[in-house]
């Protein structure tokens, strides 16, 4: 799947997320990259920024936080378009949860990791 088609799927999945999940996102951009910097296929997404629970150290004029979704790892993991949509949904929820200060242990408990 080419980058443009994948990016459109990400946009479509973002549009399907509950309003109360995305309305609170402040100074966050979503980016699609082919692979993580190390070239692996193990990482599906990454939240790079300050969680809301740590925003006391967050200053005016900060660059936006970034949620990165990696195209090639998703494509390697998923065999069908439906599987891809489901995994994109899970990855988006997982990374957005990090924005809200929810760590991986709690996400495992909730079934989102």
């Amino acid at each position: 799947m080419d980058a443009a088609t994948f990016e459109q799927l990400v946009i479509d999945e973002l549009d399907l997320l509950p309003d109360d999940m995305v309305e609170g996102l402040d100074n966050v951009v979503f980016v699609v990259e082919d692979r993580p910097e190390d070239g692996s296929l193990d990482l599906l997404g990454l939240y790079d920024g300050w969680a809301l629970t740590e925003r006391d150290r967050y200053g005016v004029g900060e660059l936006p936080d970034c949620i990165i979704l990696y195209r090639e790892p998703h494509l390697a993991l998923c065999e069908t378009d439906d599987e891809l949509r489901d995994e994109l949904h899970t990855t988006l929820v997982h990374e957005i949860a990090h924005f809200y200060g929810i760590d991986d242990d709690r996400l495992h408990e909730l079934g989102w990791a």
Side-chain angles (χ1 to χ4, degrees):
M1 174 180 296
D2 66 27
T5 303
F6 185 85
E7 287 180 20
Q8 187 58 54
L9 282 177
V10 170
I11 292 166
D12 293 346
E13 287 305 314
L14 271 170
D15 287 344
L16 293 174
L17 293 176
D19 289 341
D20 57 346
M21 180 181 291
V22 294
E23 286 175 352
L25 296 175
D26 179 41
N27 205 29
V28 177
V29 296
F30 290 83
V31 176
V32 172
E33 293 182 3
D34 285 335
R35 286 184 183 213
E37 287 183 21
D38 67 2
S40 74
L41 293 174
D42 297 331
L43 188 63
L44 298 174
L46 179 70
Y47 173 70
D48 182 17
W50 293 101
L52 279 182
T53 55
E54 299 173 356
R55 290 280 170 115
D56 62 324
R57 293 174 261 163
Y58 194 77
V60 175
E62 294 283 339
L63 290 174
D65 293 358
C66 189
I67 293 177
I68 305 167
L69 286 94
Y70 297 110
R71 183 175 66 93
E72 291 177 9
H74 274 92
L75 295 177
L77 178 67
C78 302
E79 294 182 14
T80 67
D81 286 350
D82 287 339
E83 285 179 9
L84 179 58
R85 284 184 189 93
D86 288 344
E87 194 57 53
L88 284 171
H89 181 88
T90 300
T91 303
L92 285 166
V93 169
H94 180 106
E95 301 309 332
I96 290 169
H98 287 319
F99 168 83
Y100 288 111
I102 302 171
D103 65 17
D104 282 335
D105 291 338
R106 183 67 179 135
L107 286 169
H108 278 284
E109 291 173 14
L110 296 171
W112 290 103

